[in-house]
Amino acid sequence: TWNRHGWDIRSWAVTDSVTEYWQDITAPVTDLTVTRGVQANGPALTARVGTLTIRAVDALSPRAVGIHHGTPVKLIHWPTRTPIYTGVITDLTVTPHKPGARARYEVTITASDTVARLAAITRYGAKADDSDGSEAWIARLDRLIKSAPTLQYTLNTKDAGARMCPTVWETSLAKHIDALTASILGSWTITRAGVVSIIVNRPTTPTLAFVDETDTDLNRGVWSYTSIANEWSASDSIAHVTLTNHAAERDDNGEWRAHDTELTVSDPTAADAWGGTAISVDTTLAADLEATARRYLTAASSEPTPTRLTLAPCHPHGP
C-alpha cells in the first residue's frame, strides 16, 4: 500500500507476462480517411507524414476505452488480410455537445506513421570517421538508419554511385533522409506495414487511361463517370532548380563547422515559354552539385503536367 508499507518489488507486475491484443474499433466509426505517399515539388520528392483520421459519435471516448497518445493503430482490409495503414495515435479530440442534442459528444482520432516518428528525432549531422568525413551513399544510409532504434527499411538497390559529404546540419532524421535520397534523385516513403521504403532509381509515373464503360456492375469493380476535369498550371513547369548542399569543413582549431553551398541552374526554354517556377532541394553531396541540379531539370517535364484530376463517379442508382 502506498505510503504505508515498504516497496515489495516481488508484488510488482512482471512486464513479460503482459499480453497485448488488437481491438477492433471500426464499429462506431462514421468516417475514415487515410493519406499516404510522398510530397512532390516538381521532380523533387520528399517524405510526407501519412495520417489516418477516424470520427465517431457517442463512442470511443479516450477515457472510457483507454486510448491515448502512442497507442498503435492498424487498418486492415479484412477479407484479404491486407494491411492498409500502420501508425500510432498522435492526436485526440473530444467535442461535447449541448444537453438535449442528438449526440452527447464526438471523437476525432488521428494516427501518424513512421515519418512522424523520424521527424521528431533530431540529428546534429553525420560524417565518417575518416579525415575528410565523407563516405559512400550506402554507408551514410546505414549510419542514419541505425540512429533510429528498431527502424526497419527496404532498399531496391545498393548501387547509388554517389559520395556524401560530412555535415553538421541540425535537423530531423526525416530531413536527413530526404537530403540523402534527393542527392541521387531517389525517394523514400512508408509502406502500408510501417516500413521505410527507399528507392534509389527514380520511380516511374504510371499512365492512367480513362474510357467510357457501359457495364456498371460494381461487383466487378467497374465504375462509370459523368464528368472529368483535368487541370494544369503554367507555373508547374520547372524553370529553375536551386540546390542547398549542407556540407561541413574543419576550422583552424580542427572543429567541424557548417559550410553550406547554394547553386542554381535554369532552363531557358521553360523560363521563356511558360515563365516557370523554381524549386529548392536539400542535398549532402561531396561533389557534382551542378550535374545533379541539371539532372533535376532533365527529370522535370518540358511542359506542364496535370496536377489535378477530378472524377464524378456514378453507379446504376445515381451519382
Side-chain angles (χ1 to χ4, degrees):
T1 305
W2 291 104
N3 297 332
R4 294 189 179 183
H5 301 84
W7 287 2
D8 183 3
I9 61 174
R10 292 172 300 177
S11 64
W12 290 4
V14 180
T15 56
D16 293 342
S17 64
V18 177
T19 304
E20 292 183 348
Y21 296 94
W22 289 103
Q23 178 66 45
D24 181 14
I25 62 172
T26 57
V29 172
T30 58
D31 58 76
L32 182 151
T33 303
V34 173
T35 301
R36 294 175 53 252
V38 297
Q39 184 70 38
N41 183 14
L45 306 175
T46 55
R48 176 181 182 177
V49 177
T51 60
L52 178 147
T53 304
I54 61 175
R55 177 175 170 269
V57 178
D58 285 343
L60 300 185
S61 171
R63 294 179 178 178
V65 299
I67 293 176
H68 54 80
H69 279 254
T71 298
V73 173
K74 278 189 178 182
L75 177 63
I76 298 175
H77 180 249
W78 197 247
T80 60
R81 303 300 194 271
T82 302
I84 298 175
Y85 182 89
T86 303
V88 297
I89 292 178
T90 54
D91 192 24
L92 295 161
T93 302
V94 180
T95 306
H97 289 188
K98 294 180 179 179
R102 285 189 172 185
R104 292 176 295 130
Y105 63 91
E106 296 180 15
V107 173
T108 302
I109 299 175
T110 302
S112 301
D113 64 8
T114 308
V115 175
R117 173 195 166 194
L118 299 182
I121 300 175
T122 302
R123 287 293 172 262
Y124 302 92
K127 60 182 179 62
D129 297 329
D130 298 336
S131 58
D132 66 348
S134 65
E135 58 189 336
W137 184 90
I138 189 66
R140 177 63 55 83
L141 172 64
D142 187 62
R143 184 182 304 277
L144 293 176
I145 292 296
K146 286 182 177 178
S147 70
T150 70
L151 180 63
Q152 295 179 318
Y153 77 100
T154 61
L155 183 63
N156 65 336
T157 177
K158 295 183 179 181
D159 186 18
R163 195 162 184 85
M164 299 295 103
C165 64
T167 179
V168 291
W169 190 22
E170 181 180 338
T171 188
S172 69
L173 183 54
K175 285 291 187 182
H176 274 288
I177 300 177
D178 276 343
L180 183 70
T181 55
S183 297
I184 57 170
L185 272 73
S187 68
W188 69 287
T189 185
I190 303 299
T191 68
R192 297 177 177 184
V195 177
V196 174
S197 174
I198 298 176
I199 308 298
V200 173
N201 300 322
R202 186 165 188 82
T204 57
T205 304
T207 300
L208 303 180
F210 293 89
V211 296
D212 291 316
E213 294 283 354
T214 57
D215 187 352
T216 56
D217 182 5
L218 294 184
N219 294 326
R220 295 176 52 211
V222 178
W223 282 28
S224 294
Y225 56 91
T226 57
S227 66
I228 183 171
N230 190 12
E231 303 173 15
W232 61 268
S233 171
S235 63
D236 295 327
S237 180
I238 305 302
H240 314 279
V241 175
T242 298
L243 291 190
T244 301
N245 199 56
H246 299 274
E249 61 181 14
R250 293 183 186 271
D251 61 14
D252 295 338
N253 297 322
E255 299 293 332
W256 288 101
R257 303 294 182 187
H259 184 67
D260 294 353
T261 304
E262 190 172 283
L263 172 72
T264 300
V265 297
S266 301
D267 181 357
T269 302
D272 294 341
W274 302 107
T277 188
I279 63 170
S280 298
V281 183
D282 291 311
T283 59
T284 53
L285 285 164
D288 300 330
L289 265 66
E290 183 173 352
T292 301
R294 295 203 177 278
R295 286 181 62 199
Y296 271 104
L297 280 180
T298 303
S301 173
S302 59
E303 296 183 356
T305 55
T307 55
R308 181 183 298 272
L309 187 66
T310 305
L311 290 173
C314 65
H315 53 79
H317 306 290

